[in-house]
Amino acid sequence: MKKWFFMMACFAVMTTAVSAQQFTVGTYNMRNNNHDNGDAQRGDGWQQRYPVIASLIQFHGFDIFGTQECLKDQLENIKESLPGYAYIGVGRDDGKDKGEHSAIFYNTAKFKLLEKGDFWMSTVTDKPNKGWDAVLPRICSWGKFKEIKTGFTFFFFNLHMDHIGVVARAESAKLVMEKIKTMAGTTPTILTGDFNVDQTSESYQLINNSGLLKDAYETTAIRYALNGTFNAFKSNSMTNSRIDHIFLTKQFKVQKYGILTDSYRSQDADATKTDSGNFPKEVGLQKFTAREPSDHFPVMAVISAK
């Protein structure tokens, strides 16, 4: 009898472990490395930013995350800086390497990739093209993953909606939900991205009120969100608009949600030391400029299966 109770207790622990697995999801528009946009001249160049981005991801423990705007060389920089991670996704301009990607990075020690694919947000979804009133081709990349330790299986979709086309954003929201219904069915699903609209917009409401997906911001037990998600590289800016989102199907429980406003410093030409006032004399302060790793703040959520 004692042996039976011991075996049942062990089974209960194992069952709890499987159903309560937990991991950290993120979405991060990293700003494309466009040499014509003046970022490097202003001090916000990719070479200065990406080591900070990689450190931020490692420190906050992102297990799987969607990226937006990165070109192929940027994705390779991030991959090289994150040992043990791989990514999926193709360029929106040619379905291979050209143009911005909506890539998904994942920890290969934690997840196994089962399937992957991409579709364009348009009436023609299987090849590069612009949809509705969009001014640029827009792509959604997806993967089906299995958590290695527990066998928990889920879909992950990641996109970047058009920044101009109002119709395109609304139709893209409808399209991605239809794709999720068709492809994932009842399988738990995560949708991340730069939606280029905040929580008051039509396309956001189409998703958040669909009954299929819900914004992690609304369902979290703990929320850390002191700013919106766009900063324009202006460290002293403030907005309530969240345009980068993590949506989840009902099988997920959100433990924590955060908009991460981590910044770094770069040395000014005039880096003269200043008086530290009443602080210990060993403290030396210099004039540096506060900078952001991207013109968007990353969003993260710690989630588990219900």
Side-chain angles (χ1 to χ4, degrees), residues 86-125:
Y87 71 86
I88 58 173
V90 299
R92 70 187 186 188
D93 292 352
D94 66 351
K96 296 177 182 178
D97 294 336
K98 290 184 179 180
E100 295 179 7
H101 293 56
S102 291
I104 301 166
F105 277 82
Y106 62 99
N107 185 336
T108 57
K110 192 153 190 171
F111 303 111
K112 179 180 180 181
L113 177 66
L114 302 178
E115 299 175 41
K116 65 177 181 177
D118 314 270
F119 59 87
W120 278 260
M121 289 182 285
S122 172
T123 54
V124 179
T125 62

Side-chain angles (χ1 to χ4, degrees), residues 83-271:
Y85 286 75
Y87 71 86
I88 58 173
V90 299
R92 70 187 186 188
D93 292 352
D94 66 351
K96 296 177 182 178
D97 294 336
K98 290 184 179 180
E100 295 179 7
H101 293 56
S102 291
I104 301 166
F105 277 82
Y106 62 99
N107 185 336
T108 57
K110 192 153 190 171
F111 303 111
K112 179 180 180 181
L113 177 66
L114 302 178
E115 299 175 41
K116 65 177 181 177
D118 314 270
F119 59 87
W120 278 260
M121 289 182 285
S122 172
T123 54
V124 179
T125 62
D126 60 352
K127 63 181 181 181
N129 71 109
K130 293 183 287 187
W132 305 287
D133 58 347
V135 298
L136 294 167
R138 296 293 181 175
I139 195 170
C140 179
S141 294
W142 62 270
K144 184 179 182 181
F145 297 90
K146 179 173 75 173
E147 190 181 42
I148 295 169
K149 186 176 181 180
T150 66
F152 177 75
T153 301
F154 63 97
F155 278 84
F156 195 112
F157 289 74
N158 179 56
L159 56 77
H160 187 183
M161 286 191 180
D162 200 68
H163 64 303
I164 298 294
V166 176
V167 175
R169 289 193 294 260
E171 293 301 322
S172 293
K174 296 173 187 175
L175 173 65
V176 73
M177 287 192 291
E178 188 59 39
K179 289 285 188 181
I180 289 171
K181 291 175 184 177
T182 302
M183 296 165 58
T186 58
T187 304
T189 299
I190 301 164
L191 170 63
T192 65
D194 174 0
F195 291 76
N196 267 315
V197 291
D198 71 9
Q199 60 273 22
T200 66
S201 74
E202 176 192 7
S203 52
Y204 171 92
Q205 297 296 340
L206 281 170
I207 298 172
N208 197 47
N209 296 332
S210 65
L212 175 66
L213 297 151
K214 201 71 178 176
D215 188 351
Y217 175 94
E218 294 194 358
T219 62
T220 186
I222 300 172
R223 181 184 301 132
Y224 177 68
L226 305 179
N227 205 330
T229 65
F230 184 70
N231 61 64
F233 286 125
K234 297 177 180 178
S235 296
N236 292 325
S237 64
M238 170 64 189
T239 179
N240 291 319
S241 292
R242 293 177 285 107
I243 65 173
D244 305 87
H245 306 290
I246 298 173
F247 292 102
L248 307 165
T249 53
K250 61 185 178 181
Q251 296 96 330
F252 289 106
K253 180 179 181 180
V254 186
Q255 312 290 345
K256 295 190 294 185
Y257 170 100
I259 298 172
L260 306 179
T261 56
D262 305 41
S263 62
Y264 69 106
R265 304 294 183 271
S266 66
Q267 188 169 347
D268 286 5
D270 176 19

